[in-house]
Amino acid sequence: MLGMIFVTNAAGKAIYLSSEWTALTGQTLAEAVDYGWARVVHPMDRDFVRAIVGEAIRQQQPFSVRYRVQCLDGRSVWLLGGAVPSFGPPDRRFLGFLGSITQLPDALVTEGRAQGSVGSFEPAPDPSRSGLEAAADHLIMAHVLLGQGGDDHLLTALRTVLYQVGLKLAAGGSDAGQSTQIQ
């Protein structure tokens, strides 16, 4: 099972994707920047995925979406992607999203259409990912769970950690495996 990490800016444009994206889709990281990643989303899922991501940007809320991408070898595979918003100073300004994408085994896909929601995130485990990437997934899930409970003090601390993890991943942190930063 392949796992990837991504970071966006406040406009929702990809500013970082881990190198596994290229291995799966054949799309270079330079081609995936901004909204270029959407070109490899399956044509039947593309509008739905764009709508989910657009709504998450508008609401500045977590999201999860299950969809297909077209791979380098011509086949389509199912992915589960999700992200949480990142906020920073001054005044908790919206900075963008930190998220992960995991390839789903065919056996887990029971319906042939994309699905998703804004306000939720469901990471899937992947032991082949770096410790920092796995920590990011767990921090994202903790953010969603704490957000449901409304504990602002803990959420503030968690958002600070998420932001720092996102920066380290985007900078090619020592625990980020083969990840590559895109400009």
Side-chain angles (χ1 to χ4, degrees), residues 42-171:
H42 191 283
M44 293 178 62
D45 298 343
R46 193 173 294 140
D47 289 341
F48 181 81
V49 173
R50 285 180 177 161
I52 289 289
V53 172
E55 185 62 18
I57 294 165
R58 190 183 71 68
Q59 292 185 27
Q60 299 176 359
Q61 290 289 314
F63 69 91
S64 65
V65 62
R66 190 191 71 171
Y67 61 100
R68 293 169 287 182
V69 294
Q70 297 171 310
C71 296
L72 179 61
D73 62 8
R75 66 190 169 95
S76 292
V77 297
W78 284 96
L79 303 178
L80 177 62
V84 295
S86 180
F87 299 92
D91 302 322
R92 291 187 27 80
R93 180 176 53 101
F94 177 60
L95 301 173
F97 289 96
L98 172 62
S100 71
I101 303 167
T102 302
Q103 184 178 343
L104 295 173
D106 292 336
L108 290 180
V109 180
T110 58
E111 293 184 39
R113 62 183 179 88
Q115 297 179 346
S117 62
V118 174
S120 64
F121 173 77
E122 302 171 21
D126 182 355
S128 68
R129 299 175 75 190
S130 74
L132 191 59
E133 290 170 326
D137 274 353
H138 291 284
L139 289 168
I140 291 167
M141 189 62 183
H143 180 276
V144 172
L145 293 171
L146 286 173
Q148 295 169 355
D151 189 329
D152 291 337
H153 178 70
L154 289 175
L155 278 172
T156 299
L158 185 55
R159 286 178 182 135
T160 300
V161 172
L162 271 169
Y163 178 70
Q164 294 300 318
V165 168
L167 288 177
K168 183 162 180 149
L169 284 168

Side-chain angles (χ1 to χ4, degrees), residues 13-30:
K13 294 179 178 182
I15 58 172
Y16 168 82
L17 283 165
S18 57
S19 60
E20 293 86 359
W21 182 260
T22 298
L24 180 65
T25 66
Q27 187 182 47
T28 68
L29 298 175

